[in-house]
Amino acid sequence: MQSFSEIDITSKRASKAAGFDWGIAEEVGKNMRNLEMFGLPGVKNLNLYLQKIKKNPTEKPKKIEKENKPQSKEFCPIYCGTTFLDDCKMLERLSRIKFINVSYPLLFLPFISRASEIVGKKISVQYEENNFLLNFDKTIFSKNIKNNEVVSLAKEVFIEFLENNNSFSIQEWKELYKLSEKTFVEETESSKKIGAGAGLTDND
């Protein structure tokens, strides 16, 4: 079994050999490491994609809008990802974004996952009946995806920034907080002196 470090380095070098500059290739290496850590077939998708663009180059988005459609070819998931990551704070205002015809969309996910951490919001991604919930670049929750199944072209990719909401009610929080109060320790004269900083001793 290959280590995550090997996956990172080999993916980076392969991306550079396929025509990406070193900066983007390094990002791809990290992304493949993360996808494989989350149990998603990053290496398989990257290998197929890099083989494909030898003969059929894909398109780089000039600017990301609320709805994005390539002029003639399919969108490159890596360039879509780097553009999305660079502009994620501005794109958050759009709330919901749509891409049409994205090649190997799984390769887009790690960039969006990192954007989730930057903006401090969970992000939902949907394409071809696959659903993902990206949690601040800590986890990727997937639904309806089969690990051995590769989506070579997503006709539509929907990305939505989700508002931060508690999963519990105000009443539940109050009850839990009230229970936590039983651990509080009453202040004593000794604890007041310790909490006051230098107390009776001055080292200056």
Side-chain angles (χ1 to χ4, degrees):
M1 179 177 175
Q2 274 63 45
S3 68
F4 292 129
S5 179
E6 288 176 307
I7 289 171
D8 185 334
I9 293 170
T10 301
S11 297
K12 175 175 66 177
R13 290 176 174 171
S15 299
K16 172 60 178 173
F20 293 97
D21 65 39
W22 274 119
I24 292 179
E26 286 180 2
E27 298 299 324
V28 173
K30 295 174 189 174
N31 287 349
M32 295 311 100
R33 179 190 186 111
N34 288 345
L35 284 174
E36 294 295 334
M37 284 178 67
F38 293 140
L40 297 169
V43 169
K44 185 173 186 175
N45 277 262
L46 180 63
N47 181 50
L48 290 170
Y49 178 66
L50 296 183
Q51 297 297 329
K52 172 184 177 176
I53 61 175
K54 286 180 180 179
K55 297 180 179 179
N56 300 295
T58 49
E59 189 173 316
K60 178 180 180 179
K62 294 179 180 178
K63 182 181 178 182
I64 295 178
E65 308 282 356
K66 196 168 183 69
E67 182 164 324
N68 306 274
K69 184 177 181 179
Q71 294 181 355
S72 58
K73 305 174 182 179
E74 302 166 10
F75 273 132
C76 168
I78 294 170
Y79 282 126
C80 280
T82 55
T83 306
F84 188 94
L85 186 59
D86 288 342
D87 299 338
C88 62
K89 288 189 176 180
M90 179 194 69
L91 295 175
E92 179 191 355
R93 301 172 194 164
L94 300 178
S95 183
R96 186 174 171 86
I97 299 168
K98 178 181 178 181
F99 285 85
I100 296 172
N101 291 343
V102 178
S103 188
Y104 290 87
L106 189 74
L107 303 178
F108 194 174
L109 280 187
F111 292 102
I112 306 173
S113 180
R114 288 159 64 190
S116 171
E117 181 181 32
I118 292 171
V119 301
K121 288 184 176 181
K122 294 179 180 179
I123 300 179
S124 168
V125 180
Q126 298 178 20
Y127 62 81
E128 305 298 319
E129 300 183 357
N130 296 305
N131 298 279
F132 300 89
L133 181 62
L134 313 179
N135 299 278
F136 315 109
D137 203 27
K138 303 300 181 189
T139 60
I140 296 179
F141 175 76
S142 56
K143 184 179 179 183
N144 299 336
I145 184 171
K146 297 178 181 178
N147 282 347
N148 293 323
E149 185 176 291
V150 172
V151 176
S152 59
L153 177 67
K155 294 181 179 178
E156 294 180 326
V157 176
F158 295 97
I159 301 170
E160 184 175 3
F161 292 85
L162 305 179
E163 293 302 321
N164 293 325
N165 294 308
N166 292 326
S167 62
F168 47 83
S169 67
I170 296 296
Q171 182 60 32
E172 288 168 335
W173 176 251
K174 287 181 178 179
E175 290 173 358
L176 185 65
Y177 188 83
K178 187 173 182 179
L179 182 61
S180 76
E181 288 180 329
K182 293 184 178 181
T183 64
F184 292 178
V185 179
E186 291 185 15
E187 262 193 331
T188 63
E189 286 303 316
S190 175
S191 66
K192 287 179 182 177
K193 290 177 182 178
I194 294 172
L200 300 176
T201 308
D202 193 343
N203 294 323
D204 291 337

